[in-house]
Amino acid sequence: MHAMMQEQIETKLKNALEPQHCVVENESHLHGGPATESHFKVTLVSPQFEGEPAVRRHQRVYGLLDDELRGGVHALALHLYTPGEWQADSRVPDSPDCRGGSA
């Protein structure tokens, strides 16, 4: 199951949000502990986000990935844009350092 988590996340997001740009990066190797598929960064550009505040965009993605978040995904960094926002500034911030759930 874990070996395909990145592809599973990408497929779900593409099917539901029909993005113009979608990159799902496995950042698990940047974090402490055993190497797993548990930390991801998602950069997604979708016209479906037009008129939606950032909180609503995040809620939509969390809802789509509910199974993955319950099944092993520990961290999900979301960078969600409309096409106009992406065209204006396509710099994606680095994900924060993992504190291992102990802080």
Side-chain angles (χ1 to χ4, degrees), residues 7-26:
E7 293 173 16
Q8 186 174 323
I9 290 170
E10 189 171 326
T11 298
K12 278 191 170 184
L13 294 175
K14 285 182 175 181
N15 289 341
L17 299 172
E18 301 173 336
Q20 294 178 354
H21 177 79
C22 180
V23 176
V24 178
E25 298 175 69
N26 183 348

Side-chain angles (χ1 to χ4, degrees), residues 64-93:
L64 291 169
L65 301 178
D66 185 60
D67 289 342
E68 290 75 14
L69 291 166
R70 292 174 189 253
V73 172
H74 168 72
L76 190 61
L78 300 178
H79 306 284
L80 310 174
Y81 306 94
T82 66
E85 292 166 345
W86 182 249
Q87 187 174 18
D89 185 3
S90 59
R91 290 176 292 161
V92 178

Side-chain angles (χ1 to χ4, degrees), residues 1 9 15 26 30 33 39 41 44 46 51 53 59 65 84-85 94-96 99:
M1 175 181 150
I9 290 170
N15 289 341
N26 183 348
L30 300 174
H39 292 68
K41 177 165 65 173
L44 192 135
S46 175
Q59 289 170 335
L65 301 178
E85 292 166 345
D94 291 334
S95 297
R99 298 182 69 174

